Every structure is written in C-alpha cells, then in structure tokens.
C-alpha cells in the first residue's frame, strides 16, 4: 500500500506540510555500515522491556520500549507524557552486501485506528448524506466537514511529530558517526 521512503545522506528532512497531512502510517529504509549483530546490540542497549500494567519491569531507563529479538524489533518511544499517537515501530535488519539495510514500519496503536477511522467516516458521511440528522442546513454541513478535518489532523499531526522524533533518534544510533550517549 505504501512504499518505503529511502533515507539517504546524514540528515532526515521530509517535506513539512505534506508530512502532517499524510495518514498515520510510515515506511522507511536506510542503510548502515554496521553488521546486523552490531546494530541489534546498539538498539538493545537503549530499549527497555515492555511495561506491565504501566509499571516498569526493570530499572533500565531506555529511549525506546519494546522488544529486540534477532534481526527484528518492535518498539515505541518512551515519552514523559501520555500520547495515544506515538507510533509503534516495527523493523528488521537485513544484510545487503557490505552494509545492513534497516526497514522500519510505523503505525498507530491498533485500538486507536478503528475509533479514529470510524469517527472520520461517520462525520464525512453525515456531511454528504442528504437525509442526515447530524447536518441539516449548508452551514451546519460545513461545520461537520471542518470537524472531520480537525479529527483527521488530531491524529496525523501528533503522529508526524512523534515519528519524526523517533526516526531521527534511530538514524543517530544506527548511522556510522552516531554517538549513543548524546541526548
């Protein structure tokens, strides 16, 4: 459905406005000169185990939370605040000649997706349906359309911000001149 966006060079700088309007799903691919084992080890150093019922399972304080197993990982960024739109990051390492290709998929948490899509579909349908109870006169229909756009942006904008933070951190860690101890 979505093609992976190749990240080349040292700086990640997507188009600003387009990034906020895209649906909350991302695919990225980038290469690193590290071996698969080395990249896995670096990622394991900053990933803390998943929490149980909101409580930490270990004293380890990582930048990400989740699991790194073999050449695959499923993580999300540890934020100091509650945010339902923090992307779940699923990825894999694959040896490609002298380099390792890192494939990353970002998506919303599964329970959020049907609720978000359901509200958008309901509001959009109500704004175009002739016999709508929600939207009667033209002015009310415009308000419903504006609400639909607002609900769409309520998920896409925070997701874009959080995915940008997470992919920049992954690039810092897994690129050749990254410094794990910085930030």
């Amino acid at each position: 459905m979505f093609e992976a966006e190749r990240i080349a060079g040292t700086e990640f700088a997507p188009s600003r406005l387009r990034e906020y309007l895209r649906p909350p799903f991302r695919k990225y691919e980038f290469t690193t000169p590290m071996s698969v084992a080395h990249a896995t080890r670096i990622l394991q150093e900053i990933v803390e185990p998943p929490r149980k019922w909101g409580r930490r399972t270990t004293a380890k304080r990582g930048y990400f939370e989740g699991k790194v197993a073999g050449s695959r990982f499923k993580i999300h960024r540890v934020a100091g605040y509650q945010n339902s739109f923090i992307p779940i990051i699923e990825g894999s390492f694959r040896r490609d000649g002298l380099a390792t290709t890192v494939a990353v998929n970002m998506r919303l948490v599964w329970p959020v997706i049907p609720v978000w899509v359901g509200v958008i579909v309901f509001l959009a349908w109500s704004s175009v349906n002739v016999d709508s109870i929600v939207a009667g006169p033209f002015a009310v229909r415009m308000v419903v359309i504006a609400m639909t756009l607002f609900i769409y942006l309520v998920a896409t904008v925070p997701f874009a911000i959080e995915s940008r933070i997470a992919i920049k951190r992954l690039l810092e860690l897994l690129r050749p001149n990254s410094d794990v101890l910085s930030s």
Side-chain angles (χ1 to χ4, degrees):
M1 187 166 131
F2 295 100
E3 275 195 43
E5 181 182 331
R6 294 262 323 142
I7 301 173
T10 57
E11 191 62 33
F12 174 67
S15 170
R16 296 295 270 183
L17 182 60
R18 189 180 129 222
E19 195 66 22
Y20 294 119
L21 298 177
R22 286 174 53 190
F25 306 98
R26 305 282 188 277
K27 284 187 176 187
Y28 297 109
E29 251 186 25
F30 59 91
T31 57
T32 179
M34 298 176 188
S35 68
V36 171
H38 187 116
T40 301
R41 203 169 30 253
I42 285 178
L43 200 54
Q44 283 175 336
E45 288 175 8
I46 62 149
V47 173
E48 65 184 57
R51 296 173 188 225
K52 302 274 191 219
W53 304 102
R55 298 186 185 271
R56 294 182 186 277
T57 54
T58 65
K60 181 179 179 181
R61 180 74 175 136
Y63 192 81
F64 292 104
E65 178 180 277
K67 293 182 182 179
V68 180
S71 64
R72 304 189 63 73
F73 57 92
K74 184 176 180 180
I75 58 178
H76 63 87
R77 193 172 77 81
V78 174
Y81 49 90
Q82 192 70 336
N83 187 344
S84 297
F85 304 110
I86 289 180
I88 301 298
I89 305 163
E90 295 174 324
S92 63
F93 301 110
R94 162 180 97 245
R95 196 68 183 164
D96 191 18
L98 297 176
T100 297
T101 300
V102 182
V104 176
N105 292 325
M106 295 183 174
R107 63 169 172 79
L108 287 174
V109 179
W110 286 120
V112 172
I113 295 171
V115 172
W116 178 68
V117 169
V119 169
I120 288 175
V121 168
F122 172 75
L123 289 173
W125 178 252
S126 294
S127 68
V128 296
N129 189 3
V130 175
D131 298 328
S132 173
I133 297 170
V134 175
F138 181 74
V140 175
R141 288 182 190 275
M142 290 298 108
V143 169
V144 172
I145 289 172
M147 284 174 46
T148 306
L149 180 62
F150 176 75
I151 296 296
Y152 179 80
L153 293 175
V154 157
T156 60
V157 171
F159 181 85
I161 291 167
E162 291 292 339
S163 65
R164 185 179 175 90
I165 292 168
I167 197 69
K168 278 186 164 188
R169 182 64 175 159
L170 283 174
L171 286 171
E172 286 174 11
L173 290 167
L174 299 174
R175 286 292 170 105
N177 294 329
S178 68
D179 183 12
V180 177
L181 300 176
S182 69
S183 63

